[in-house]
Amino acid sequence: MAEFILDVNGAQLHVNAPADESLLSVLRNRLNLTGTKYGCGEGQCGACTVLLDGRATRSCLVAVSSAVNTKIFTIEGLEQNGKLSAVQQAFLDEGAFQCGYCTPGMILSATSLLHRTHNPTEEQIVEAMNGNLCRCGTYPRIVAAVKRAARLMPAKGASR
Ligand code: FES
Ligand code: FES
């Protein structure tokens, strides 16, 4: 066990964990941030996606020791002052989920895409979201939600 200080959703959090424990496990089981989901545990489904320095990252594949000195954002960190992020609001408005298990990862992948590409084409959206699997098959609505979020987000300075 070692102590790590993680920058999670803008807060400095102290946690004790084995250095090779996955960030996913630390978030869910030690920090009680259960919005990040466990799907396959081997980088194939995207359910565990979080932002590391703004990049969509599979937290099941990242050791907690590698996440030190990065800015980690989970689904719990997107809403600010009671207001959903543009991507969260767009997913709600488009009804882009059924069971919702894939939704946190989808929203964080979409957030990462829209930080890089303000007005993505449908092809760019599909490519960026390709590694996030939805067992319920809500892909058309997810694509519609990302397009809606692009319209909602300010062109510059969108941080979440
Ligand atoms: S749980 Fe990480 S990619 Fe599936
Ligand atoms: S909404 Fe059920 S897995 Fe995507």
Side-chain angles (χ1 to χ4, degrees):
M1 285 282 209
E3 183 181 25
F4 299 97
I5 303 173
L6 300 178
D7 186 332
V8 184
N9 300 331
Q12 303 291 310
L13 303 181
H14 292 245
V15 66
N16 287 300
D20 61 353
E21 184 166 318
S22 73
L23 177 59
L24 172 61
S25 172
V26 168
L27 290 170
R28 288 184 55 83
N29 302 325
R30 299 186 189 276
L31 297 174
N32 205 28
L33 291 167
T34 55
T36 307
K37 301 304 183 198
Y38 179 95
C40 63
E42 49 189 39
Q44 301 296 319
C45 74
C48 66
T49 303
V50 299
L51 298 184
L52 287 195
D53 290 335
R55 288 250 156 213
T57 304
R58 307 280 195 255
S59 62
C60 70
L61 296 182
V62 176
V64 61
S65 55
S66 301
V68 173
N69 296 323
T70 66
K71 290 194 183 308
I72 304 163
F73 266 87
T74 70
I75 193 72
E76 290 90 348
L78 294 189
E79 165 265 322
Q80 284 184 0
N81 301 321
K83 192 171 185 313
L84 296 178
S85 74
V87 180
Q88 288 176 307
Q89 188 62 54
F91 269 65
L92 205 53
D93 292 345
E94 293 288 346
F97 43 81
Q98 288 185 39
C99 76
Y101 202 81
C102 69
T103 308
M106 290 284 184
I107 286 176
L108 287 160
S109 286
T111 301
S112 175
L113 167 67
L114 293 174
H115 285 174
R116 299 192 309 274
T117 309
H118 175 60
N119 199 9
T121 63
E122 183 154 334
E123 194 175 34
Q124 287 173 313
I125 294 170
V126 170
E127 188 182 328
M129 310 291 291
N130 208 13
N132 288 74
L133 305 184
C134 175
R135 290 172 299 186
C136 303
T138 53
Y139 296 111
R141 286 177 182 234
I142 289 168
V143 171
V146 179
K147 288 180 180 173
R148 177 185 281 259
R151 294 194 296 274
L152 290 173
M153 281 174 101
K156 291 186 75 176
S159 60
R160 65 188 181 94

